[in-house]
Amino acid sequence: MATHPITLTVNGSQRQGQVEPRRLLVHYLRDELGLTGTHIGCETSQCGACTVILNGQAVKSCTVFAVQADGGQVMTIEGLAQDGQLHPIQEGFWEEHGLQCGFCTPGMILSTYDLLLKNPDPSEQEIRHALHGNLCRCTGYQHIVKSVQYAANKMKGAPAVAD
Amino acid sequence: MVYMRQVGARVKRKEDPRLITGSSNYVDDFNPRGVGHLGILRSVYAHAKINGIDTSAAKAHPGVIAVFTGADVPELDRPMPHGEGETAGGQKGMVGIVTAPLATDRVRHVGQAIAAVVAEDRYIARDALDLIVVDYEPLDAVIDIEEAVKDGAPQLYDEVPNNTAYTWTRKRGEVDAAFAEAEVTVTQRMNNQRLAAISLETRGVLAQPDPLSGGLTVYTSTQNPHSVRAEIARTLGLSEIEIRVVAPEVGGGFGAKISSYPEEMIVAALARKLNRPVKWIETRSEHLLATHHGRGQINEISLAAKRDGTITGLRMRCLADLGAYPRDASVPPLTGMLMSGVYGYQNVDIEIRGVYTNTMATGAYRGAGRPEAAYYVERIMDVLAAELGIDPVEVRRKNFIPPDAFPYKTPTGPTYDSGDYNKPLDKALAAADYQGQRAEQRQLRAQGRYRGIGVVTFTEICGFGPFDSASVRVEPSGKVTVATGISPHGQGQETTFAQMVADELGVSMDDVIVVHGDTARTPAGKGTMGSRGLVVGGSALFKTLGQIKEKATKIAAHLLEASPEDIEFREGKFGVKGAPDRTKTLVDIAAAAYSGSLPDEIGTGLEATDFFAPPGTTFPFGADVVTVEVNPETGEVALLRYVAIDDCGRVISPLLVDGQVHGGLTQGIAQALFEEVVYDEQGQLVTGTLMDYAVPKPEYVPMFENDRTETPSPHNPLGAKGIGELATIGSTPAVVNAVVDALAPFGIRHLDMPLRPQRIWQAIQDAQAKAPAAAD
């Protein structure tokens, strides 16, 4: 099958590749670039395990072709911590036990990143609504909500309160 | 530094840093050089003869490495043992049905594996599957369990008449007399619909030749690597030492990844045949088709009782769907064994028939047989309470096994270890302000609003053996490596076990590493399932730490020139009794242990392995109070409050217990309200993707109000009872009880799950048609 050249900026580095037009962005990231922190959980864009930030928006990379992302800026979970410092959202998930098996976690964290960019002070219901496209089978979501609240507080500069 | 105990403290997980940064590895994250990607062709018919399989076009497709059917690989055309037991599916008295990993002449459910393609790329493997032509001769299929047991129904196996694999019975006491003399009897038919596990990570297997052993290393997303190792070895005709099984990060299991699957055998056999790494990653659609389902029962249950609510007898007739082949046929009998619930009735008559249908096999799913039992018992209690006009709480209290009756031998089989059922119930009722809520409910009903309150009290069996293990090695630096035979996949035992080590040996949790899920690095074990991780695995660790402490005490005594009897372990140090300054830390002791200069009677080194074979099972218990409101115009259920009080014995890690409870509650609620695996009459799976199978989303559940009581188990040194499944077991009947309570003004006494708006709305319509004035 014919391939197309693509150029993406992934976690701040420029990456060039040759991909079949049918190759999904998630497979390009995982199999070609080795960024396996992005997971695949359903293939029908229900579960959100494959969520990445593409041009500033959270997208499900299992329903984006790599060629559609050509020229774009991608951030994956591997790009969130800076200089070995966890991002406040990652800190929140650790602090509040927002994960168990960890499979949904990268997608949850990046959807949270998208939410907090748009709404730095979300209510519990706004958090639950914003994470509607991310499934977690382990936590019952309660500690995820608390993780997001922790991160929101921390990012506002307010003291994050652990219970 | 202030000495702080870690057991019982709120600690952050050791597992998390690698998981929140995306730097750890699940099976699909490994891509060894030369890996072939495997795809599986699956039956499109629920029941058919296979007259031929033409793989020539697939073989010729560019990028395809090889295509195999069962005829090409003798190891895959041999019967595969299912479940861990020597009897098929682990149930005694069953006709020994076995199936080969690849079907060659007959398929019995949609999704059964027929052929495998190995290709250079996963896309090419999928392309090539479309090029395989199977000549099917469709046969009549039977999907419904009640149809399957009838005379003249299509037969899955000639040697299994009426598709009835086994009949499990338990009759104790004078049941017929109890019913004949009863002041009141109630009977209700109830379903327990099929569910899918939906671990967020699907199954996946990667096998690669291992030059060390001449066999294979197999990475697989499993809960039980030692058992998978044994079965792969048996399938390939190798010995266990030639197979290494690794469960790397595993993205959830919930019971569906306990026993080995055909795909593990297929991948292993083909990696060996091709002498290169082969990887298969299950798609979500395959997960719904070919990872075993849970539940799947229909039951008719009756109670005999006195007018004051005292239950005098229980009878049930249950059909349990095993699917097309047995994977874990011992699950339905667990339902029968737990039919005593937390109640003291003595006259029971239980019959459960395990039935084959042309559907995917059923097996363990969070709770595995016990949620079904708790559902039947807790539902029929409410039916009885409604019949008698007694508060559901009082009917339960009237029948509780009293706290002084333990150990309590139930008429249904098990002996309960310990319990005090009023404790969590009292706490739950107080937390929920039960009386206040009942008053509010009466007011709302007067306003035409349908508030419902559900109450349940429940128990379950866990902590199954036969054993588990731990190895502890104190390194020369005084840091500690633990290897455990359990195989956690989200439960967090790297943290829990490190808490235990910290307290027992006086080291920082940061100085402990817990290794698991690798048959080459861990002692023999039975995996993580059935809420056994802490109960059995943790107890094995506790025993092993005892051995370490014993030797450390001798070394400390030697270093301090004291007698071992004069050494005590205090605030994390080994010290001489009555001499606060004369102490040695584990670092001092480890240095001495590896100095080579200890006397012979002490000996060099500081490591130990021990096993724990539990003397009996454990029975955690709890009580939930749930508040819902039903919108009669739409049939929608709003889950307003959820109070859960669980008693899982002694708690090591409260934060992790909360996490288990929240997740467990959500899965139980999901059965009550949302989830159902549906096949049509031809056996086609209707719920084949997450667009059709309704996993709860964040907005579907409230903030849970959970707390604990603590009744230690006498069956292990930790006093732990297990928490993995308990919340799931209570929450399904709790929610259904609440919804039915909300609908009581319509005269509704029971509704089958899942309680989706359409079913509730229809029930309201039917009730109003029958008695138009009832709800006004």
Side-chain angles (χ1 to χ4, degrees):
Chain A
M1 202 174 283
T3 60
H4 295 259
I6 57 168
T7 304
L8 274 70
T9 305
V10 181
N11 300 331
S13 327
Q14 204 180 74
R15 311 296 292 258
Q16 292 179 326
Q18 282 283 335
V19 295
E20 286 183 1
R22 66 176 177 172
R23 177 134 327 233
L24 298 171
L25 177 59
V26 67
H27 285 137
Y28 178 71
L29 294 171
R30 287 177 50 81
D31 296 346
E32 311 284 327
L33 304 186
L35 295 169
T36 55
T38 305
H39 298 147
I40 303 170
C42 75
E43 301 124 9
T44 50
S45 75
Q46 262 73 45
C47 83
C50 64
T51 303
V52 299
I53 305 295
L54 174 61
N55 300 326
Q57 294 274 344
V59 299
K60 291 179 174 174
S61 62
C62 78
T63 30
V64 176
F65 292 116
V67 290
Q68 290 177 289
D70 186 18
Q73 302 265 347
V74 176
M75 184 177 73
T76 69
I77 189 68
E78 289 91 344
L80 191 57
Q82 292 295 321
D83 306 323
Q85 270 300 107
L86 292 178
H87 187 279
I89 301 170
Q90 291 169 311
E91 230 178 85
F93 273 75
W94 192 12
E95 196 65 50
E96 296 293 337
H97 187 28
L99 60 147
Q100 290 178 29
C101 81
F103 198 78
C104 75
T105 310
M108 281 289 175
I109 287 175
L110 292 176
S111 286
T112 301
Y113 180 87
D114 184 84
L115 163 68
L116 295 182
L117 276 183
K118 294 168 182 159
N119 179 359
D121 190 19
S123 67
E124 181 202 331
Q125 278 319 308
E126 285 169 337
I127 293 169
R128 289 184 185 272
H129 184 72
L131 298 178
H132 196 82
N134 290 78
L135 296 178
C136 169
R137 195 57 156 167
C138 297
T139 64
Y141 302 106
Q142 184 146 330
H143 284 160
I144 290 177
V145 171
K146 288 191 167 190
S147 304
V148 178
Q149 289 168 335
Y150 177 101
N153 282 332
K154 179 102 192 225
M155 287 163 77
K156 278 186 305 189
V161 186
D163 66 356
Chain B
M1 196 179 82
V2 180
Y3 176 72
M4 228 186 82
R5 275 181 68 80
Q6 297 300 328
V7 167
R10 181 196 199 275
V11 299
K12 291 197 289 182
R13 295 206 317 170
K14 287 175 72 73
E15 291 86 344
D16 291 357
R18 63 180 192 262
L19 296 171
I20 55 180
T21 52
S23 50
S24 198
N25 292 310
Y26 300 81
V27 171
D28 196 20
D29 301 343
F30 296 100
N31 281 305
R33 196 183 299 274
V35 66
H37 296 268
L38 186 138
I40 291 173
L41 184 76
R42 298 179 181 281
S43 174
V44 297
Y45 285 100
H47 201 184
K49 280 186 185 163
I50 296 174
N51 290 328
I53 307 168
D54 182 354
T55 59
S56 53
K59 279 179 176 155
H61 190 68
V64 168
I65 297 163
V67 182
F68 295 99
T69 65
D72 305 321
V73 192
E75 298 93 311
L76 299 179
D77 190 25
R78 279 205 294 258
M80 160 174 172
H82 293 295
E84 280 208 67
E86 289 303 314
T87 53
Q91 184 52 35
K92 283 178 191 148
M94 245 172 89
V95 177
I97 296 300
V98 280
T99 49
L102 287 175
T104 49
D105 54 355
R106 188 160 163 186
V107 284
R108 291 184 174 85
H109 70 97
V110 169
Q112 189 169 352
I114 296 173
V117 169
V118 182
E120 302 288 354
D121 173 277
R122 64 180 93 218
Y123 288 63
I124 296 170
R126 293 281 281 277
D127 291 340
L129 290 177
D130 292 342
L131 301 174
I132 299 172
V133 181
V134 180
D135 179 4
Y136 293 101
E137 185 182 328
L139 301 169
D140 288 339
V142 64
I143 309 306
D144 182 282
I145 28 180
E146 289 175 303
E147 293 299 320
V149 295
K150 288 181 183 164
D151 290 335
Q155 293 289 294
L156 270 76
Y157 302 98
D158 294 341
E159 60 273 41
V160 184
N162 298 95
N163 297 307
T164 302
Y166 64 85
T167 302
W168 185 92
T169 58
R170 188 167 298 267
K171 202 166 177 182
R172 293 290 184 277
E174 302 298 327
V175 186
D176 296 339
F179 275 87
E181 294 158 13
E183 293 172 9
V184 61
T185 64
V186 289
T187 295
Q188 184 63 54
R189 181 184 187 275
M190 302 178 195
N191 77 336
N192 222 295
Q193 80 272 29
R194 259 182 196 249
L195 302 176
I198 316 287
S199 50
L200 251 282
E201 184 206 21
T202 57
R203 291 185 295 128
V205 190
L206 164 66
Q208 56 185 14
D210 183 349
L212 181 74
S213 66
L216 293 172
T217 295
V218 182
Y219 296 83
T220 180
S221 186
T222 183
Q223 299 175 230
N224 195 356
H226 286 92
S227 144
V228 173
R229 177 175 72 151
E231 295 205 5
I232 290 175
R234 192 156 26 166
T235 299
L236 301 185
L238 297 173
S239 70
E240 278 172 322
I241 59 169
E242 291 166 292
I243 304 291
R244 173 185 175 197
V245 170
V246 180
E249 296 297 348
V250 171
F254 310 109
K257 295 176 180 172
I258 291 176
S259 40
S260 55
Y261 278 89
E263 290 85 353
E264 281 158 332
M265 309 305 137
I266 294 167
V267 172
L270 298 185
R272 210 161 152 75
K273 203 165 171 79
L274 296 169
N275 195 30
R276 66 191 287 175
V278 172
K279 179 162 86 172
W280 167 75
I281 300 298
E282 186 182 57
T283 66
R284 181 57 64 188
S285 301
E286 282 182 296
H287 180 85
L288 282 151
L289 275 174
T291 290
H292 77 228
H293 300 146
R295 319 282 192 263
Q297 297 182 1
I298 290 177
N299 196 6
E300 188 177 279
I301 175 165
S302 305
L303 289 181
K306 296 183 189 167
R307 288 242 154 256
D308 69 358
T310 306
I311 297 164
T312 53
L314 175 144
R315 183 180 279 144
M316 79 176 226
R317 296 290 177 265
C318 180
L319 296 178
D321 195 345
L322 302 179
Y325 57 91
R327 270 188 61 77
D328 194 349
S330 64
V331 168
L334 273 176
T335 301
M337 290 160 64
L338 267 290
M339 284 304 293
S340 288
V342 291
Y343 309 112
Y345 41 78
Q346 293 300 312
N347 303 312
V348 298
D349 172 12
I350 298 167
E351 180 192 286
I352 299 172
R353 278 186 282 172
V355 181
Y356 292 125
T357 59
N358 292 109
T359 59
M360 180 57 201
T362 59
Y365 169 61
R366 203 163 191 169
R370 294 95 95 194
E372 294 90 322
Y375 179 75
Y376 303 138
V377 172
E378 290 306 301
R379 220 34 301 287
I380 198 73
M381 291 299 284
D382 266 28
V383 172
L384 177 66
E387 176 71 25
L388 294 171
I390 300 177
D391 189 292
V393 171
E394 294 319 310
V395 174
R396 286 172 170 81
R397 285 202 202 274
K398 188 119 211 145
N399 291 284
F400 275 165
I401 299 160
D404 58 5
F406 295 89
Y408 173 75
K409 172 80 181 146
T410 63
T412 44
T415 297
Y416 293 174
D417 57 342
S418 59
D420 189 347
Y421 304 132
N422 276 306
K423 269 185 5 192
L425 178 59
D426 290 342
K427 200 164 181 170
L429 295 174
D433 181 21
Y434 181 69
Q435 291 306 334
Q437 284 209 44
R438 283 289 179 205
E440 194 183 355
Q441 178 186 40
R442 284 190 291 274
Q443 286 171 6
L444 291 171
R445 275 186 183 164
Q447 300 164 22
R449 284 173 61 185
Y450 296 89
R451 181 67 65 89
I453 304 159
V455 180
V456 290
T457 50
F458 50 92
T459 187
E460 65 137 333
I461 183 171
C462 42
F464 289 106
F467 70 87
D468 226 293
S469 63
S471 289
V472 175
R473 186 168 72 219
V474 180
E475 310 287 357
S477 62
K479 300 197 182 207
V480 181
T481 301
V482 173
T484 172
I486 63 160
S487 194
H489 43 279
Q491 293 82 358
Q493 267 96 4
E494 290 175 39
T495 303
T496 318
F497 285 7
Q499 286 175 272
M500 290 170 57
V501 174
D503 280 5
E504 291 303 311
L505 299 183
V507 294
S508 155
M509 281 180 65
D510 293 339
D511 291 338
V512 181
I513 188 162
V514 179
V515 175
H516 56 81
D518 183 343
T519 58
R521 296 176 73 193
T522 63
K526 307 304 278 185
T528 291
M529 65 194 77
S531 310
R532 69 189 298 281
L534 177 66
V535 175
V536 189
S539 296
L541 173 61
F542 189 80
K543 277 184 76 184
T544 311
L545 290 170
Q547 287 193 34
I548 296 282
K549 272 175 102 163
E550 198 181 313
K551 182 160 182 185
T553 299
K554 285 183 194 161
I555 297 173
H558 173 74
L559 295 174
L560 293 164
E561 296 175 337
S563 123
E565 294 75 47
D566 292 332
I567 299 293
E568 63 179 1
F569 185 69
R570 57 172 187 251
E571 299 205 329
K573 290 174 184 159
F574 295 81
V576 180
K577 286 176 193 166
D581 297 338
R582 295 182 64 203
T583 59
K584 292 289 173 192
T585 65
L586 194 68
V587 172
D588 307 326
I589 291 166
Y594 296 99
S595 66
S597 58
L598 287 172
D600 285 350
E601 61 269 24
I602 297 177
T604 296
L606 191 52
E607 62 177 88
T609 297
D610 207 344
F611 294 80
F612 177 69
T617 42
T618 61
F619 295 81
F621 55 95
D624 294 357
V625 180
V626 189
T627 315
V628 303
E629 189 158 328
V630 175
N631 180 339
E633 302 299 321
T634 62
E636 285 169 295
V637 175
L639 201 49
L640 302 180
R641 278 188 76 182
Y642 202 112
V643 174
I645 309 296
D646 294 295
D647 194 319
C648 58
R650 186 168 168 230
V651 170
I652 306 284
S653 204
L655 186 64
L656 273 58
V657 169
D658 286 345
Q660 288 294 315
V661 170
H662 300 157
L665 290 172
T666 302
Q667 281 183 347
I669 291 167
Q671 176 170 20
L673 297 180
F674 311 120
E675 295 182 19
E676 182 172 30
V677 171
V678 180
Y679 285 95
D680 71 10
E681 311 85 74
Q682 277 79 45
Q684 294 296 332
L685 183 65
V686 176
T687 49
T689 72
L690 292 188
M691 291 188 283
D692 318 292
Y693 188 84
V695 174
K697 294 171 185 285
E699 287 170 290
Y700 296 2
V701 284
M703 281 295 192
F704 300 110
E705 304 163 53
N706 67 296
D707 202 347
R708 285 179 278 283
T709 59
E710 208 167 300
T711 306
S713 172
H715 284 166
N716 61 76
L718 304 177
K721 280 175 173 264
I723 191 59
E725 298 151 297
L726 187 63
T728 305
I729 282 161
S731 57
T732 305
V735 171
V736 175
N737 283 353
V739 173
V740 172
D741 183 53
L743 299 174
F746 294 104
I748 291 168
R749 288 258 171 108
H750 179 77
L751 285 176
D752 271 340
M753 302 181 289
L755 298 177
R756 293 185 187 148
Q758 186 187 357
R759 181 163 292 163
I760 292 173
W761 183 86
Q762 191 62 55
I764 293 172
Q765 303 306 307
D766 294 349
Q768 285 178 326
K770 229 191 295 174
D776 297 331

